[in-house]
């Protein structure tokens, strides 16, 4: 089994950082991996590229930036059985590529695997893409929970779509579909997922152990005319409508199951927030009572201030303690399952 890693870049510093993280993301030997880059930066910037991945890096093409076209060109040059499509601004976690390969090869029904991504503050940025009532795609629980929250950990599972910032697919499946070049800015990843599900009748899976950091659009934001595009959104909406009209019952069940899972997750988060609100209200009530009872002497005022500081610290620590307990529970459940 050979892996081809495809990346589009114009910024050496970002590319170097991603390549360094790749060194610990997979245990595949050197002959089993190739990295193909579509470079659209300057010659001076290209000279600053430092490949510390331990794998061969080739600048396979130097074309103007267009994500879908650039990736299609790289895929046509790739020799691997599997294609890892990655943004240059992704920092991979240790073992994450191996985990993605294991997920993809665990079932012949799985055609594409997507990742769990976080921002620089540790908040979740991607755990699969869902669609709203207007057929607009969105990242579920985007920045609503920590990336290590139990709601997005656990077993791998099917989702309607995943982001093209980090995905794994078999080369022959990608070759039969390719990224749609009609998208100007974004949407080719959503289109690929829907095409794979409808035309090849394969599944798209979200793998929590396929993970990394991704500061969204840190490269795209520096390129003119690469912000959100209404035409692309309209195309994605139409594609999803057509998918639902042609989908079979198992595919519709997966759409429904993903939406139900998110609804339950949001309800769980709201229940936790309400409980925290009650605890904070109780603390504030206690503080108000102490304030009313406090005398005006300097010693009493000093003692009251110290107690106020103590309870403020406790209230701020409530949410952190809850998250730690949830993570510990998730770990214990995983240990028991082993």
């Amino acid at each position: 089994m050979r892996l081809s890693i495809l990346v589009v870049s114009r910024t050496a510093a970002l590319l170097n950082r991603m390549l360094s993280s790749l060194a610990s993301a997979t245990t595949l030997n050197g002959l089993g991996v190739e990295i193909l880059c579509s470079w659209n930066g300057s010659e001076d910037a290209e000279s600053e590229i430092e490949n510390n991945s331990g794998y061969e890096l080739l600048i396979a093409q130097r074309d103007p930036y267009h994500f879908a076209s650039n990736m299609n060109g790289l895929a046509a040059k790739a020799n691997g059985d599997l294609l890892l499509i990655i943004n240059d601004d992704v920092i991979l976690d240790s073992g994450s590529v191996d985990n993605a390969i294991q997920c993809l090869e665990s079932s012949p029904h799985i055609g594409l695997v997507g990742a769990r991504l976080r921002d620089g503050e540790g908040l979740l940025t991607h755990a699969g893409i869902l669609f709203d009532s207007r057929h607009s795609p969105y990242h579920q629980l985007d920045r609503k929970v920590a990336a290590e929250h139990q709601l997005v950990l656990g077993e791998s599972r099917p989702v309607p779509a995943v982001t093209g910032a980090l995905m794994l697919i078999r080369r022959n499946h990608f070759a039969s579909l390719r990224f749609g070049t009609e998208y100007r800015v974004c949407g080719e990843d959503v289109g690929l997922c829907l095409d794979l599900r409808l035309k090849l009748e394969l599944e798209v899976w979200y793998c929590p152990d396929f993970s990394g950091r991704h500061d969204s659009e840190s490269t795209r934001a520096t390129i003119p005319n690469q912000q959100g595009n209404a035409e692309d959104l309209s195309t994605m909406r139409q594609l999803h409508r057509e998918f639902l009209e042609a989908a079979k019952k198992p595919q519709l069940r997966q759409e429904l199951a993903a939406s139900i899972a998110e609804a339950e997750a949001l309800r769980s988060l709201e229940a936790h927030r309400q409980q925290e609100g009650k605890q904070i209200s109780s603390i504030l009530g206690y503080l108000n009572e102490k304030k009313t009872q406090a005398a005006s002497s300097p010693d009493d005022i000093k003692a009251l201030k110290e107690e106020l500081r103590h309870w403020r610290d406790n209230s701020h620590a409530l949410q952190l303690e809850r998250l730690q307990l949830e993570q510990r529970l998730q770990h214990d459940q995983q240990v028991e399952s082993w």
Side-chain angles (χ1 to χ4, degrees):
M1 188 273 297
R2 185 170 169 83
L3 175 69
S4 295
I5 299 172
L6 313 183
V7 59
V8 178
S9 184
R10 69 194 302 267
T11 308
L14 292 178
L15 181 61
N16 294 343
R17 190 180 66 176
M18 185 278 287
L19 291 170
S20 294
S21 72
L22 183 61
S24 63
T26 179
T27 56
L28 292 173
N29 63 54
L31 296 177
V33 179
E34 64 176 0
I35 308 169
L36 304 182
C37 177
S38 182
W39 181 256
N40 48 71
S42 67
E43 291 184 8
D44 289 341
E46 183 178 342
S47 66
E48 298 172 1
I49 296 174
E50 297 178 1
N51 177 21
N52 294 315
S53 68
Y55 300 107
E56 180 184 43
L57 169 68
L58 297 174
I59 303 300
Q61 59 193 34
R62 295 176 177 82
D63 296 337
Y65 180 81
H66 183 266
F67 183 81
S69 298
N70 294 164
M71 280 295 179
N72 288 345
L74 290 177
K77 297 177 176 67
N79 295 306
D81 306 295
L82 305 180
L83 303 181
L84 178 73
I85 295 169
I86 185 171
N87 279 15
D88 65 350
D89 54 0
V90 168
I91 305 173
L92 293 161
D93 290 336
S94 179
S96 61
V97 173
D98 288 345
N99 293 330
I101 294 172
Q102 182 178 5
C103 179
L104 184 65
E105 296 186 333
S106 66
S107 170
H109 301 295
I110 301 175
L112 191 153
V113 175
R116 174 173 57 93
L117 298 174
R118 63 184 180 275
D119 64 13
E121 297 180 350
L123 293 176
L124 181 75
T125 58
H126 181 76
I129 293 174
L130 306 183
F131 295 86
D132 64 18
S133 59
R134 300 177 62 186
H135 303 281
S136 297
Y138 67 93
H139 297 266
Q140 67 166 329
L141 301 177
D142 183 12
R143 293 181 175 85
K144 289 182 172 61
V145 297
E148 302 299 322
H149 197 286
Q150 63 172 350
L151 292 174
V152 293
L153 296 177
E155 298 296 325
S156 300
R157 52 227 186 235
V159 291
V162 295
T163 178
L166 183 58
M167 59 168 54
L168 182 72
I169 186 173
R170 295 179 181 85
R171 180 166 61 93
N172 62 320
H173 290 156
F174 185 88
S176 67
L177 299 171
R178 295 164 51 93
F179 280 130
T181 56
E182 69 272 20
Y183 297 96
R184 293 181 57 191
V185 178
C186 60
E188 56 279 313
D189 47 4
V190 172
L192 178 67
C193 291
L194 294 178
D195 282 347
L196 180 132
R197 295 172 63 199
L198 189 61
K199 297 178 181 179
L200 302 185
E201 297 187 6
L202 295 171
E203 297 174 351
V204 174
W205 278 53
Y206 158 67
C207 175
D209 294 330
F210 182 27
S211 60
R213 172 179 168 177
H214 180 224
D215 297 316
S216 302
E217 299 184 356
S218 57
T219 298
R220 180 177 285 166
T222 66
I223 303 174
N225 303 317
Q226 285 296 312
Q227 285 70 45
N229 184 276
E231 293 178 6
D232 289 343
L233 177 58
S234 178
T235 300
M236 285 186 281
R237 285 175 172 174
Q238 179 62 27
L239 190 61
H240 188 248
R241 279 193 293 267
E242 293 174 354
F243 171 82
L244 292 182
E245 290 173 358
K248 296 180 179 179
K249 285 185 179 180
Q251 296 167 328
L252 294 176
R253 289 194 192 100
Q254 287 184 353
E255 291 267 329
L256 180 60
S259 295
I260 290 174
E262 188 198 36
E264 291 178 345
L266 290 172
R267 185 168 58 185
S268 174
L269 287 174
E270 181 59 25
H272 281 300
R273 290 193 180 102
Q274 289 179 0
Q275 182 62 30
E276 288 168 358
K278 290 178 181 179
Q279 291 175 323
I280 292 172
S281 296
S282 176
I283 292 170
L284 291 176
Y286 172 79
L287 293 176
N288 286 331
E289 182 181 351
K290 296 291 289 185
K291 180 180 179 181
T292 302
Q293 296 174 353
S296 59
S297 69
D299 290 342
D300 288 339
I301 292 174
K302 181 179 179 181
L304 179 60
K305 287 182 178 179
E306 290 177 353
E307 190 162 5
L308 283 169
R309 188 180 302 109
H310 167 75
W311 284 108
R312 283 197 195 99
D313 292 341
N314 279 359
S315 65
H316 288 315
L318 279 172
Q319 186 173 13
L320 177 60
E321 182 180 356
R322 174 178 61 78
L323 291 174
Q324 290 173 340
L325 287 172
E326 289 176 346
Q327 291 170 9
R328 191 183 307 165
L329 175 61
Q330 177 70 22
H331 173 74
D332 292 344
Q333 290 173 340
Q334 290 175 343
V335 171
E336 290 177 0
S337 68
W338 292 339

